[in-house]
Amino acid sequence: MADTELAAAVWLTFQRNRANVQKRRARLRRLMAVCSQMERINIYANPNDNVPVVQIYMDKSKDLKFDYRLSRESIEALMTLLRREKTHGWVQHMEVLLVVYWLAHGLSYSVVSRVFDVPKTTVFVIVHRMGRVKARFNQHHARARLVVERAFGMMKARWRGIFFKALKVDHTFYPK
């Protein structure tokens, strides 16, 4: 009889543990469903609009050439060309300003991070994301350059007879 009671106790303990595991799994599933419905909030780095170089951009009357080495119209054109779907919490104008400032001054990531008051890794990520755009531009530019070079090569071959022949000039004739 002791063996049957022991077996029954073990069986009940097993059933309770199994029920607890099932309850925990159900709670975890509900929690995951709630989390997937919630909007993701990125709080790793918030842009600081109180930085002097950003305030210069925000003030429409100030000239940007000293800080960004581009006119306001050029920066606005860049922003429209680089418009994309957002993948994180940064505002697009902050990304473009950061990369243009980095390119204009040739500074290190740590100096740009202090100027814009953002983490150094954020500067690195933004610059290299924009670097992919730069690589794509360079690829298209190289293709266009090859087309132009081929056109010049064809013109050179066409006019080779004129430009590379020795001119037959009578050395005795000269204007007085």
Side-chain angles (χ1 to χ4, degrees), residues 8-141:
V10 169
W11 179 254
L12 282 175
T13 306
F14 174 73
Q15 287 297 330
R16 278 191 214 121
N17 287 343
R18 188 173 173 194
N20 287 340
V21 168
Q22 288 174 347
K23 285 178 188 176
R24 275 187 266 147
R25 284 183 182 158
R27 257 185 280 157
L28 184 61
R29 272 190 235 112
R30 284 194 304 271
L31 181 63
M32 288 175 66
V34 168
C35 287
S36 68
Q37 292 172 357
M38 289 175 54
E39 193 174 311
R40 278 184 47 183
I41 300 172
N42 295 317
I43 56 171
Y44 63 95
N46 293 322
N48 186 358
D49 289 339
N50 296 324
V51 175
V53 290
V54 176
Q55 286 179 344
I56 289 170
Y57 171 74
M58 295 297 180
D59 186 5
K60 300 288 185 189
S61 65
K62 292 193 177 176
D63 187 27
L64 301 177
K65 285 197 177 183
F66 180 75
D67 290 306
Y68 296 103
R69 312 257 166 98
L70 288 174
S71 66
R72 185 173 295 280
E73 293 80 23
S74 299
I75 290 180
E76 295 294 333
L78 267 175
M79 288 185 191
T80 56
L81 286 173
L82 298 175
R83 192 166 308 282
R84 61 175 171 69
E85 276 301 313
K86 299 310 294 169
T87 57
H88 62 80
W90 277 87
V91 185
Q92 182 186 5
H93 73 270
M94 289 291 285
E95 289 183 3
V96 172
L97 291 177
L98 193 141
V99 172
V100 168
Y101 191 85
W102 180 77
L103 286 171
H105 295 285
L107 299 172
S108 66
Y109 299 133
S110 58
V111 174
V112 175
S113 71
R114 282 194 301 263
V115 169
F116 280 86
D117 193 25
V118 295
K120 188 169 33 172
T121 55
T122 304
V123 174
F124 176 83
V125 168
I126 290 172
V127 166
H128 285 277
R129 184 181 318 115
M130 292 289 182
R132 289 190 295 250
V133 173
K134 180 181 166 188
R136 192 171 53 225
F137 167 79
N138 286 342
Q139 182 182 16
H140 289 291
H141 185 264

